[in-house]
Amino acid sequence: MSEKQEFKKANHVVLTSHINHVFENIPVVNWGEKDPKKRGPIIATVSDEETRNAIGTHSGSYTVYRALSIAKGEYDKDHRPDLFNTHATTTIGPHESWYDPEKIVSLDPWGGEVQSVFKDEIEKGLNVKPTIAVTQARLQLPEIYEAIEKGRLKPDGKVITENGDINVTKVALEPVWYLPGIAKRLNTSEGELRKILFKETGGMFPELVTRPDLKVLLPPIGSTTAYIFGNPDDLANTNVELSCRVHDECNGSDVFGSDICTCRPYLTYGIEHAAKTAQNGGVGLIVYFRKEGRALGEVTKFLVYNARKRQEGGDSAANYFKRTECVAGVEDARFQELMPDVLQYLGVKKIHNLHSMSNMKYDAITGSGIEVVNRISIPPELIPADAQVEIEAKKAAGYFTDGEVKDEGSLKNVQGRKLDE
Ligand SMILES: [Zn+2]
């Protein structure tokens, strides 16, 4: 076979929008319906063509790796997960917010309970897969050991073990988007949203434009993880003090300790406070969103670092946001409109201490009906020297601080390290 013929053969794929593939008996999804049986399971497994009621598939961006495993012949495309013993270590919810079709639009609140809630459907052969998983973990962090050494934290044998490890419950959440709800959140029409999603992914999911009857999309993006310190049920109790940080991924700082930004110090400070709050009878929550480099990605981020450090006059707080916009087209692609969904899923109604200086995050959280009592900015002694540019620029741009805000003139004097320095 010639290469062209071979491609033609492999290319013979029947699109799900094909008239023979619009099945009449697909389980209906009634988003926001109180009874999960009436709400219906989300079926996004690709092996179940006749019952699929969602666009896209499981595992977010990793779906592409699964495709490569199948292509290599290492993975059975019809594999069905054996869900025995996979159920949550702690039951989350259900909370009132789960029954409001507008409070949660970017995850499936029943996605962590499919093993029990949709047991019958699974036994009947429907390939329903969890989109949420809850487990337990211990965190071992040098910053926490240091906090114990300096006397800021004390092991209690419960939240913090005698050797300084922190006990947590962690929840992994895959994105499940209810498109009419997402459109409403973004102030656009569902049709317009579908068209733009289709176009900007290079036409990845034709059903976005050909199957308006399918309302749910599992987008190929990163997941979210919630780390809970203390009793998860207390998150929904407004009388229990809650310390919370909503953190957007920054691999360079979070994992590798790069000193150009405050991400890891702010994150570990949030963890320290979350653990301390839990020790004092409260509850702590860290939510980690996979939105690397202000959701622009690391390549863009590193290009911006170079542009910042090579500009005339050096890297200065006065030009911090301008450089990103020049390279990326926007200064920040992280819209925060969907972020509060995970808080709603956990039943949060009141945050006593919010660890974030971002007004976008604050506005999104309070806009979703959650009360915020105190806003906590990063303590000055935790800011790396080269990250002064970032923090001063953010404060001058209106980010929350209880400290001093520099004017245009003094911003120019906040200088970062040059390349090769
Ligand atoms: Zn960072």
Side-chain angles (χ1 to χ4, degrees):
M1 251 192 293
S2 73
E3 204 179 308
K4 206 174 167 188
Q5 276 171 324
E6 221 170 289
F7 178 75
K8 238 180 155 180
K9 191 169 164 261
N11 204 27
H12 185 77
V13 169
V14 182
L15 292 176
T16 45
S17 53
H18 192 276
I19 196 75
N20 294 333
H21 278 245
V22 180
F23 299 101
E24 276 172 10
N25 296 325
I26 59 168
V28 180
V29 178
N30 295 302
W31 196 261
E33 174 63 53
K34 187 166 186 174
D35 178 354
K37 292 284 199 189
K38 286 188 193 151
R39 203 301 299 271
I42 307 287
I43 303 163
T45 40
V46 280
S47 59
D48 262 16
E49 268 183 5
E50 297 190 16
T51 53
R52 256 170 78 76
N53 60 11
I55 305 169
T57 188
H58 292 278
S59 309
S61 55
Y62 300 111
T63 191
V64 181
Y65 284 106
R66 190 177 58 227
L68 295 186
S69 298
I70 294 169
K72 216 179 147 199
E74 287 180 350
Y75 191 107
D76 174 8
K77 69 179 175 47
D78 294 321
H79 170 76
R80 268 179 184 242
D82 176 359
L83 297 175
F84 181 67
N85 273 344
T86 59
H87 59 278
T89 50
T90 312
T91 305
I92 308 281
H95 298 290
E96 274 303 311
S97 49
W98 295 22
Y99 316 138
D100 183 336
E102 292 187 7
K103 280 264 191 248
I104 298 175
V105 298
S106 63
L107 60 90
D108 174 10
W110 299 104
E113 296 292 324
V114 305
Q115 296 96 321
S116 54
V117 168
F118 299 117
K119 189 168 177 273
D120 301 342
E121 286 82 350
I122 292 171
E123 276 172 7
K124 266 189 252 159
L126 284 185
N127 198 352
V128 189
K129 269 183 74 176
T131 52
I132 294 175
V134 186
T135 191
Q136 289 169 348
R138 278 194 185 180
L139 311 184
Q140 302 185 325
L141 288 160
E143 286 87 345
I144 295 301
Y145 298 144
E146 196 190 302
I148 293 170
E149 214 177 86
K150 294 197 168 150
R152 298 199 305 268
L153 282 175
K154 276 193 188 71
D156 61 348
K158 259 177 79 187
V159 179
I160 303 177
T161 65
E162 290 310 324
N163 62 350
D165 302 347
I166 306 179
N167 279 313
V168 290
T169 301
K170 58 178 180 180
V171 187
L173 304 107
E174 265 178 28
V176 178
W177 288 4
Y178 179 59
L179 294 167
I182 302 262
K184 193 158 186 204
R185 221 40 101 75
L186 301 181
N187 242 334
T188 184
S189 70
E190 186 192 339
E192 191 65 11
L193 172 70
R194 283 174 171 261
K195 198 176 73 191
I196 295 171
L197 279 170
F198 174 72
K199 276 191 174 170
E200 293 301 316
T201 53
M204 197 175 224
F205 302 109
E207 299 100 317
L208 281 169
V209 286
T210 61
R211 291 289 305 273
D213 58 313
L214 298 178
K215 297 293 184 194
V216 174
L217 165 71
L218 274 66
I221 58 170
S223 56
T224 300
T225 321
Y227 285 80
I228 303 163
F229 305 70
N231 181 357
D233 287 338
D234 287 342
L235 290 167
N237 185 343
T238 52
N239 296 321
V240 176
E241 184 179 11
L242 167 58
S243 296
C244 169
R245 169 148 180 85
V246 280
H247 186 92
D248 288 330
E249 173 180 28
C250 172
N251 192 268
S253 168
D254 294 346
V255 179
F256 288 93
S258 171
D259 70 344
I260 198 168
C261 56
T262 55
C263 301
R264 184 178 168 104
Y266 212 162
L267 177 64
T268 54
Y269 179 61
I271 292 171
E272 180 180 328
H273 196 187
K276 197 170 196 162
T277 308
Q279 285 189 316
N280 293 337
V283 61
L285 175 65
I286 305 283
V287 189
Y288 195 86
F289 295 88
R290 294 287 155 74
K291 290 187 199 161
E292 176 59 65
R294 301 198 200 132
L296 296 164
E298 268 201 325
V299 169
T300 300
K301 191 178 189 176
F302 292 5
L303 295 174
V304 171
Y305 289 160
N306 284 343
R308 271 172 54 188
K309 289 186 177 290
R310 285 193 180 118
Q311 68 191 321
E312 209 181 311
D315 185 14
S316 86
N319 289 327
Y320 174 77
F321 285 111
K322 274 182 221 149
R323 285 293 104 206
T324 312
E325 193 161 348
C326 288
V327 178
V330 283
E331 62 181 49
D332 198 325
R334 287 176 302 177
F335 57 96
Q336 298 291 350
E337 281 86 347
L338 307 179
M339 175 269 289
D341 283 24
V342 58
L343 304 175
Q344 295 290 350
Y345 163 70
L346 295 165
V348 172
K349 293 182 213 74
K350 185 176 183 176
I351 299 172
H352 301 73
N353 311 300
L354 176 66
H355 281 242
S356 170
M357 293 164 71
S358 159
N359 289 334
M360 275 167 81
K361 288 180 183 168
Y362 174 82
D363 292 344
I365 291 171
T366 53
S368 86
I370 296 169
E371 185 191 344
V372 173
V373 184
N374 301 308
R375 298 174 73 179
I376 316 278
S377 46
I378 184 169
E381 64 273 19
L382 293 181
I383 301 169
D386 200 37
Q388 290 296 342
V389 170
E390 176 210 298
I391 211 79
E392 291 304 338
K394 283 184 170 175
K395 278 169 19 187
Y399 275 55
F400 172 77
T401 177
D402 30 31
E404 161 224 36
V405 176
K406 292 197 185 328
D407 61 22
E408 188 89 16
S410 13
L411 278 184
K412 289 202 182 95
N413 300 328
V414 181
Q415 296 265 326
R417 203 172 53 238
K418 292 187 178 60
L419 290 171
D420 300 325
E421 227 173 53

